[in-house]
Every structure is written in structure tokens, then in C-alpha cells.
Amino acid sequence: MYTSQQFCDFHPQFQLISICTAKHQCQRKFCSLCGYKKEDFNHQLILNHIFQEQILEKFSKLQSEYQLSNSVTQFKTIQTQLEKLQEEIIFLLSNLKELINCISKFVHQEDSRFQNLLGQHLNPLECSNEDLQFLIEFLNENTLKDWWQKKDAVLQQMPKVIIFWEKLVSSAYSLNHSIDFVKNILAQKQKKQIVIQFNGLEKQNEGLKPTKFSLMTQPNGDKVYSKNGYTLRVDKLKQGQKEEQVILNLEQIKHLRFEGQYGVDGYKYKQWDIIWKGQQVGGGLYNILGEKEGKWIDLCENYWDEKKVVEIGYYKQDKRVGAWSQKWKDQIEEIGHYDNGIKIGKWSELSEGFWDASQVTYYGEYLNGKKVGRWDIMYKKQFIGGGLYDLEGNETKIGEWIELNDGFFDYSQVTYSGQYKNGYKVGRWDINYKEDQHEPFKQIGGGSYDLQGNETKMGQWTELSDGFFHYSQVSYSGQYKNGYKVGRWDINYKKDQYEPNNKMQFRNQIFGGGGSYDADGYGIKNGDWIELCEGFRDDKQVTYAGEYKNGHKINKWNIWYQDPSTQDNECIGGGFYEEGCDDIKIGEWIELSDSFRDASYITYEGQYKENKKFGEWIIKYREEQIGGGSYDERCNGMKIGRWIELSTEFARYSQIIYNGEYQVDQKVGIWDIKYRQVNQKQFKSIGGGSYDKACNGMKIGKWIELQDGFRDTSQIIYAGEYQAGIKCGRWDIRYREDQHKSFKQIGGGSYDEGGFEIKIGRWNELSDDYNNSSQVVYSGAYKNHKKIGIWTEMKNTKERGLIKVKEISFND
């Protein structure tokens, strides 16, 4: 704590004589010359001996008031008492185990006596006098009945032993959590609210696609997931909890829950259940060190409604062991074996992007956790590709391979075929595609890699866009030099299977899609460019036209939209970039919504300053202004005041808006949900509720919400109550055929009051695709997060109302 340094670092010839007590960061120790130069804070420089006197005086004054020295004695006393209690607990447990062991032996002995002496080979003449007396008593008295009554009385008491100690241990854990909480308070400084942006995955028509969201950690440890001002999930800090892994899948953020208790040091302990949409789908046991033990049901990576796959097997000290199986759509099959957490032998694996429309699996062999030999790629259980790994266990690809595109699915069947050398692509690689499962693959692109094994692209290439699929057949053609794009690159778009790939030609534009890279081979864009919007497709033919300079957008960029029915191309937006900066937007801009397409023609108009929105922005649907609000320039471009926003799924047949107030980018107070059917002029209130100002945008109180996918032909709402962002109590499900009719209750049930959003008791639930032409209801009960007993599937008909279709049995 103390240092013997007496001379100034900056003026070694001068001794240190004073201390700076100002509330800022500085060198603190000053010589006379340093002090002379520090004119602004001269009054806060105190001579060393005076500083010492003031410290000792204040300490002496406060010591008696707060009894600082006495705290050490108190803690020593507590430690001594805990050690004595520990000895007593160990003694009591040891004695208790010995007593139960003695009782167990005696019970077993008496049971055996009856079984042995009253067996099939009973011969009284061969019995000892003691055993014969036992038989006589059995004959003349109720000895067996008396014994069973005694044993039953004893056995009824035994569970109480476990219950008592379990309650004691549970209380001890709670106390441990409380003391740990106090320790953290003493050790940590005042926590601040932290907001971090994450890259995640979001459900779209073509599976899970990249997206961005925010995670706010509050000073009390609660975590709030949100996107574009909408709260997706609130994770309240549980007793004993430390850090948890951040969820990156927005479907899991909205629908996945974990329930269990924490042991010491934030370890999960005992039984933990995995809950999906209120129903248990997995789980298992943790030991006292937070390691998985015994039988577990794990969710597959990126589990969601279109990928409801679970993996079933055993853990030993957090490592998988033995045979593991996989369950998908009620089908269970073995996938492979683990040896102390390492994969061995033959395996069947799902692709990383597996879902209902992308049923891709891999079959092959593992050696000490590394792929070796032949691995086949199967699509809907039919061979589609694969190749060889070396036999040395380095998991190195060699020879001919057919690989699948990362976004491979029913409407994007793209493969790559070529040669590997020591794990690197070499020579010619072809890109192949087929539009129908029953058609052969056709080459639509490709190019060459160098032969030296550096996997460097060279020469002419035709590549596909990241989101290439049936309704978005976009490719890029041009030259590579030393792995970088050079010269002119063209963008080609094929509208349908009857139209050949052609350069994009739009009216009112001088040149087709694409542009030029620098000739020096550094892959830098320069000059005029026409680029495609993210998610370009038949009903979203949006392009951006403007100029690049040294890889950065400059000057005016226009946004063009080509109507899919008329083929008219129109400039519908755009704005300016500041030259010399990294794509910084400035001034007036008209932008398109992320979900912009022909049925969702939504634009935003407003001002940018240094790439941040400020002032008033308006939202238009085609030419009609239907929303908007303000951004606060002082608060880093955050939303403030009254806003009218559109739902993320706003479209021609799903016109939903939200009306309410923002306070520093958080929704507060009452928000109304309004809706209108197609061809109607006025929006009418249909739901809504309140956000708590004190809880960072958490929903509270009574709410009426719209089902995901709400539209003209599927008008379903949910009515119930929130507590701190969590559904609780009774929630009703209501439905109407159109906005001229009233909503009628057709389902619902209750959530627990414990803050876990878990379904309990009787529920009537709707099928995922419930709409005017398909009205299916499921009725049954929940217990311990699971559907139990008999669930009845019913169909609503105009002629006969609800009729039973079938019954489904669930085990308790």
C-alpha cells in the first residue's frame, strides 16, 4: 500500500510535498513545481503532513462511530460457530445413515425369515425349536399382519427424513445465495445500465436469417431483449444466478424458457426443465458442480418450430457418454456414440441449417472426435453429395467433393462441385442448381482456384447471391485477380424458369446492374454502381444507384423500384452520403422498410446528421402517410415522444399500427393497437396495453395482443395480464371472421403466478394455421410444463359447430 518514493517522476530534483484531492484522475502526488503549474486546482492541493493529519483525525472520529475493528471479531466468531455446526451436521448425518442402515438390515432379516420358513419346502420336523416356535406363533396369532403394520409404520416415516433434509438444504442454498449477493454488493461498484447490440437469427419465409437486436442489462441484473423498440423478452435475475449465455435466436428469445434452481457460485443444480411455448420439451439433472448428469433431453442447435429436434442420451460429469438418439416429428433414431464426450464410430448428423424445408443430413465416421473417410450428404434421405476426409484424423478434405450451399432448402437447391487438396479447394469448381426435386442439376456458375492450395480465386467467375432461391435468382459475373475482384462485374437476374439470365436493364438508367472494382486488385469499388437491396426477389425488385470512391459511397444515391406487374421502374427514395467518410448519411433521406415488397410498400422520410436520424420522420404506405414520430438528436438518435409505428409484418392483408409514447427509446405508458382490412380507410382500435416507465419497457397490467401472423383471414387476439413483462393468470383466445363482426372467445387457459410464464391446468389452443377456412382447436390439460392425459382435436364447422376429430394421449 505504501511506497518509499519521495521524488517527482517529472522533476527528479524536487521532492514530493503535496496531494491533490480533486474529483478527477491525475498523478495525485505533486512536487512544488508541479503544484505551481496546476493553477486550476491549487486550492485542492494539501501538504503531505496535513493530509496525514486529516486522514487520521477522520478515521479516529469514525472508528468509534462505526466500530470498524469490531467487525473482524464478529466474523471470526461466525466462522468458529460455522465450524462447530459443520462438525455437528456431519456427526448427525453419519449417525442417521447408520440408524437407517440398521433398520434396513433388520427389515430385510425379518422379511427373509417369513419367506424362508414359509416357503414351498416347509418341513416343521427339520426346523430348530426357535423356528418351530415362530411357526406356531404364525399359526395361532397374526404375526405376519403385525409385522407388516410395524414395517409400514416405519416406512411411512422414512420419506420424512429426506423431506426434512431437503428443506434444510434448500434453506441453506437460499441463505448461501443471500450471503453471496451481499458479498457482491460489497465487492462491486454501483452497476450501470448496459446496452449491447448483437447479431442474431430471425424467422423468415426461407428459414432463419441474420438480424440485429439489443440486450439491455439493468443495474439489478435483469436482462431485456428488444428489437426496433419492441421488447422481445425479460429475464429477471433469479436467486443464486450469475451469468447466463446470451440467446441469439429471436424465436428462442420469444418462446424458450429454462426453469430450475441454482446451487453455489451460480451453478445450476438438480432438475432443470426446458420449456417451449409453455410446454416442457427437454431437461435433466445437474450435480452440485453444475455439471450435467444422467439422462438428458437436449435441444438441437437453433431449435424452433420448423426444427423441433431433440437429442436424447446420458451425461457423466458434463460429458456425453454412450449411445445418443434423436427425436424429430415423433420419430426416434440412434445418431451415434460418445466416449467421454468425444464422438466415435458411425454417425448421422443434421446440417447446421436443418429445418422442415431443408432436411439435410450427413453420414460418416468419427475417429477420436475427427471425421475420417467417406461422408455422404443426404437430402430428404436421398444422396446428393459428399466426399472424403483423410484417414489421419486431421479432418482434412481430399479429392472430389459435392457440397451444399449454406442456405440450401427446397427452393434453393444449390451445390458446389470440385477438387480438394490438403483441405483447400483447387482448380475448377462448378455451381449447380435445380428448381425441382425431380429435375437434374444444371451448371449455372463457378470458376477456378489456384493450383498451389491457397484457395485463391482467379480468372472469370459467376457467383450466386447470398439469398439465391427460386424467386430471387441473382448472380454476379466478373474477374478475380489474386483473390480480389477486379474490373467490371455484372449483376444478372433471372425472373422465372422460362427466362434466361440477362444483365439487369431498367428504364431511366444508363447502364445495367453492377459496376467496377479497382484495377490494382484490392477489391475496392469505384465509379457508378447499381446494387441490389438485401432480399431482392420477384416482388421486391429494389436497386440502389450511385457512386463509389475508394470503396465508400459518396454524393447522391437513388433507390429504384420495378413494379413486378407493369415492369415500370421508378425512383422512390434515396439521399446523400458525406464524401470522405465511411458511408455516412446526411441530410434528407427516403428509405424503405426492411420488409419492403409489393404487398408491403412502406417508406420512411426524414433527416440524417452524421449517420443518425434526428427530428421528425414520417412513415408512408404507398402514398398515404400512416405513421411516424421524432428522434432526439441529443440522445444519440433515440426515439422520443408520440409515435405511430407499423407492425413488422405490415402488408396489404395485415395492416396493423401501434400508437403510443417513447421515452429515450423505450415504450412507456398506454399503447394502442389499431387495424384495418384491405380497401378500408380508417384504422380501428383492436387491442393494446401499458408499458411500465420504471421497468424499462416491460408490459404490465391488462393487455390485448394480436397473434403473430394476424391478417384479414386469421383475426386472432389474446387477452390477459402481464406482471413485469411476464404473462400470468387467465388468458383468453378470441377470434372473428372479419372486422364487421365481434370477437368471440374460442380458447385460452392459465399461466402460473410464479413469473415463469408456464401454462397450467385446462387449455383450449388453436392450430398454428388457424384461419377462416381451417379452424382446428386442441383441448386438454397441462401439469409440470407438460401436456398430460387425453387431448382432443376438434374442428369448427359451420353446419355442426365443434366436432371431435381424434384424441391424442400424453403420458404424465
Side-chain angles (χ1 to χ4, degrees), residues 565-589:
S565 56
T566 65
Q567 298 302 305
D568 289 337
N569 199 48
E570 179 185 5
C571 180
I572 62 171
F576 282 86
Y577 289 92
E578 184 175 353
E579 187 171 352
C581 297
D582 294 335
D583 298 341
I584 301 296
K585 292 180 178 178
I586 55 173
E588 292 281 349
W589 267 84

Side-chain angles (χ1 to χ4, degrees), residues 406-459:
D406 288 342
F408 187 101
F409 78 110
D410 291 349
Y411 296 106
S412 181
Q413 298 186 40
V414 177
T415 65
Y416 303 89
S417 58
Q419 189 92 5
Y420 272 99
K421 181 179 179 182
N422 297 324
Y424 295 97
K425 294 175 180 176
V426 294
R428 175 73 191 183
W429 275 73
D430 293 329
I431 303 175
N432 312 294
Y433 171 68
K434 66 176 180 179
E435 297 190 72
D436 186 87
Q437 177 72 9
H438 305 291
E439 293 181 356
F441 279 96
K442 297 179 181 178
Q443 181 189 338
I444 61 170
S448 295
Y449 293 91
D450 72 290
L451 299 176
Q452 287 70 43
N454 298 314
E455 207 165 285
T456 301
K457 291 182 178 180
M458 50 188 291

Side-chain angles (χ1 to χ4, degrees), residues 372-642:
V372 294
R374 177 76 193 180
W375 274 74
D376 292 329
I377 305 174
M378 312 294 285
Y379 171 57
K380 294 184 176 179
K381 301 198 174 188
Q382 295 183 2
F383 176 82
I384 195 171
L388 289 171
Y389 290 92
D390 75 313
L391 299 176
E392 306 301 320
N394 299 316
E395 210 166 87
T396 301
K397 292 180 179 180
I398 55 174
E400 294 287 339
W401 269 80
I402 298 176
E403 300 181 324
L404 274 57
N405 186 36
D406 288 342
F408 187 101
F409 78 110
D410 291 349
Y411 296 106
S412 181
Q413 298 186 40
V414 177
T415 65
Y416 303 89
S417 58
Q419 189 92 5
Y420 272 99
K421 181 179 179 182
N422 297 324
Y424 295 97
K425 294 175 180 176
V426 294
R428 175 73 191 183
W429 275 73
D430 293 329
I431 303 175
N432 312 294
Y433 171 68
K434 66 176 180 179
E435 297 190 72
D436 186 87
Q437 177 72 9
H438 305 291
E439 293 181 356
F441 279 96
K442 297 179 181 178
Q443 181 189 338
I444 61 170
S448 295
Y449 293 91
D450 72 290
L451 299 176
Q452 287 70 43
N454 298 314
E455 207 165 285
T456 301
K457 291 182 178 180
M458 50 188 291
Q460 183 69 30
W461 269 81
T462 297
E463 302 178 325
L464 307 188
S465 65
D466 290 339
F468 185 99
F469 81 115
H470 179 78
Y471 299 107
S472 180
Q473 298 186 37
V474 175
S475 61
Y476 305 90
S477 297
Q479 290 278 335
Y480 273 97
K481 180 181 178 182
N482 298 324
Y484 293 99
K485 293 177 179 178
V486 295
R488 173 73 192 183
W489 274 72
D490 293 320
I491 304 176
N492 309 299
Y493 168 56
K494 180 181 176 184
K495 183 179 178 182
D496 56 49
Q497 58 181 333
Y498 305 109
E499 180 180 315
N501 263 31
N502 292 311
K503 290 184 180 179
M504 303 179 68
Q505 296 291 340
F506 293 117
R507 301 177 189 177
N508 303 324
Q509 297 186 40
I510 301 173
F511 52 90
S516 295
Y517 292 89
D518 71 301
D520 296 327
Y522 295 109
I524 297 173
K525 292 180 178 179
N526 272 308
D528 291 330
W529 268 82
I530 294 180
E531 300 182 324
L532 275 59
C533 72
E534 186 176 349
F536 183 99
R537 51 187 287 171
D538 289 354
D539 62 349
K540 188 182 179 179
Q541 297 183 38
V542 175
T543 56
Y544 303 94
E547 184 181 358
Y548 274 98
K549 184 177 181 181
N550 296 324
H552 298 296
K553 293 176 180 176
I554 61 170
N555 300 328
K556 180 69 180 288
W557 274 72
N558 292 319
I559 304 174
W560 294 79
Y561 173 64
Q562 182 160 294
D563 189 294
S565 56
T566 65
Q567 298 302 305
D568 289 337
N569 199 48
E570 179 185 5
C571 180
I572 62 171
F576 282 86
Y577 289 92
E578 184 175 353
E579 187 171 352
C581 297
D582 294 335
D583 298 341
I584 301 296
K585 292 180 178 178
I586 55 173
E588 292 281 349
W589 267 84
I590 299 176
E591 299 181 324
L592 311 188
S593 69
D594 292 339
S595 58
F596 183 97
R597 63 187 191 281
D598 184 55
S600 184
Y601 198 111
I602 300 166
T603 58
Y604 303 90
E605 299 181 16
Q607 291 264 354
Y608 272 100
K609 184 176 181 180
E610 295 180 354
N611 217 39
K612 289 183 175 61
K613 295 177 180 178
F614 76 96
E616 183 181 3
W617 277 69
I618 63 173
I619 305 173
K620 289 185 177 180
Y621 174 56
R622 296 195 179 274
E623 296 301 320
E624 175 191 11
Q625 181 178 341
I626 59 173
S630 294
Y631 293 90
D632 190 345
E633 183 180 353
R634 297 166 300 175
C635 295
N636 205 27
M638 294 182 177
K639 292 180 179 178
I640 57 168
R642 300 298 300 181

Side-chain angles (χ1 to χ4, degrees), residues 91-101 161 165:
F91 173 76
L92 285 171
L93 278 174
S94 178
N95 188 63
L96 186 61
K97 287 171 67 177
E98 187 176 339
L99 287 172
I100 292 175
N101 187 44
V161 175
W165 282 100

Side-chain angles (χ1 to χ4, degrees), residues 106-116 118 134 138 141-157:
F106 181 77
V107 168
H108 178 70
Q109 180 180 325
E110 289 299 299
D111 283 344
S112 299
R113 192 176 184 190
F114 278 103
Q115 291 169 353
N116 294 335
L118 302 178
F134 175 79
F138 175 77
E141 301 174 15
N142 292 322
T143 54
L144 182 59
K145 181 179 179 181
D146 292 342
W147 166 243
W148 275 104
Q149 287 176 344
K150 288 181 181 179
K151 186 173 74 170
D152 187 54
V154 171
L155 292 175
Q156 286 181 6
Q157 296 301 315

Side-chain angles (χ1 to χ4, degrees), residues 74 80 82 99 285 300 523 631 719 747:
Q74 290 179 3
T80 302
L82 283 175
L99 287 172
L285 291 169
C300 69
Y631 293 90

